[in-house]
Amino acid sequence: MRAVLTIAGSDSIAGAGIQGDLKTLAALGVYGTAAVTAVTSQNTSGVLDVLALPAETVRSQIDAVAGDVSLSAIKTGMLATADIAQVVAETLRRLGHPKVVVDPVMIASGAGQRTLLSQDAVQLLKTHLLPLAAVVTPNIPEAQVLTGIDVRTMQHARDAAKRILDFGARAVVVKGGHLEGPDAVDLLYDGTAMIEFSAPRSAYGSVHGTGCAFATAIAAGLALGDDLPAAVQRAKTYVAGAIAHSFEIGAGARLLNHFWIYNP
């Protein structure tokens, strides 16, 4: 069985983060392993507290897994601090893995909005981690932070994609869920071609965990042998279905149904 490592924070409501990633990987038929970067206190209404782990503990988790298991892809999510971002970049550079998906998680959206990446870690992410990425998957607010571009249209998204590629990643997917329009359009750019992936926009409003699931599904696709456009399409189809089958369990956002493909 193919194995994927997710390096991210935990989510106590289990809709995103490590818990959501492991569900996504299991649903798509790969074995999920994990290195936890931070413990968060979350529910469907937002993030209440964050405790970052020591950077060396994060390093030891990655080394423990990578030293024992042949990894088919690696995905990074919430890194929390500059120290953790530095250690993750150093460790991934040493491993030299060709299939690294970087989801530059910065802010928890929703009513309980909370910063998930310290300001001093953003520049380090750009200069040390993005050059190691096979693909980077920012949403619109993250693309704005990374590039300084006010992304309001698809043309702005194209401009941001080009600028993000300048940081050294081999490809970028700008997730278009925050843009206006009847469809949610994600833009893939690999330095040569720009490909748009479109799905009807959900009428449900806030659904927790979509960004994590999308990036993790790309990693699963790469692990299974997809080329990048096929992996992005696999992720788009998977997340669209998980949103369509999402459900309410608390007072806030809906949660993805990660296992919808087994009971469509």
Side-chain angles (χ1 to χ4, degrees):
M1 177 174 279
R2 307 291 176 88
V4 173
L5 171 64
T6 173
I7 305 168
S10 76
D11 172 10
S12 48
I13 202 64
I18 289 289
Q19 291 89 334
D21 290 352
L22 294 177
K23 291 178 185 180
T24 296
L25 294 170
L28 293 175
V30 299
Y31 186 81
T33 65
V36 181
T37 60
V39 176
T40 70
S41 301
Q42 291 192 57
N43 56 31
T44 61
S45 296
V47 180
L48 306 176
D49 196 13
V50 175
L51 174 66
L53 271 63
E56 288 305 316
T57 301
V58 177
R59 188 199 304 272
S60 69
Q61 292 177 82
I62 299 170
D63 285 342
V65 174
D68 185 47
V69 175
S70 177
L71 295 170
S72 296
I74 299 171
K75 178 249 181 177
T76 71
M78 175 188 176
L79 300 181
T81 69
D83 286 346
I84 293 174
Q86 177 73 45
V87 159
V88 169
E90 289 173 355
T91 307
L92 294 186
R93 187 180 302 109
R94 172 165 47 83
L95 294 175
H97 203 288
K99 297 179 180 179
V100 175
V101 179
V102 174
D103 189 19
V105 176
M106 296 180 183
I107 297 173
S109 58
Q113 190 172 94
R114 183 76 176 253
T115 299
L116 301 180
L117 185 68
S118 64
Q119 186 59 44
D120 59 343
V122 174
Q123 185 62 30
L124 194 150
L125 179 82
K126 291 161 64 172
T127 57
H128 288 67
L129 192 57
L130 296 195
L132 305 177
V135 59
V136 187
T137 62
N139 60 26
I140 296 301
E142 290 159 355
Q144 292 179 160
V145 171
L146 290 171
T147 66
I149 296 172
D150 185 10
V151 181
R152 299 186 182 183
T153 67
M154 281 304 299
Q155 184 55 54
H156 294 150
R158 296 184 189 99
D159 294 340
K162 292 177 181 177
R163 189 167 299 180
I164 291 169
L165 217 65
D166 289 340
F167 298 134
R170 297 196 296 280
V172 57
V173 179
V174 179
K175 297 176 286 194
H178 290 80
L179 294 177
E180 298 293 329
D183 294 332
V185 182
D186 302 321
L187 177 70
L188 167 63
Y189 179 55
D190 63 1
T192 302
M194 289 204 178
I195 307 172
E196 295 182 4
F197 299 82
S198 180
R201 190 174 299 278
S202 168
Y204 286 133
S206 181
V207 181
H208 181 54
T210 56
C212 294
F214 183 77
T216 304
I218 292 175
L222 295 176
L224 291 168
D226 291 349
D227 63 17
L228 185 55
V232 175
Q233 184 59 66
R234 182 194 293 266
K236 186 73 171 176
T237 300
Y238 171 73
V239 173
I243 292 172
H245 292 81
S246 63
F247 54 90
E248 293 179 336
I249 198 172
R254 296 171 70 89
L255 296 183
L256 290 178
N257 184 342
H258 290 89
F259 295 105
W260 70 271
I261 55 178
Y262 295 105
N263 188 24

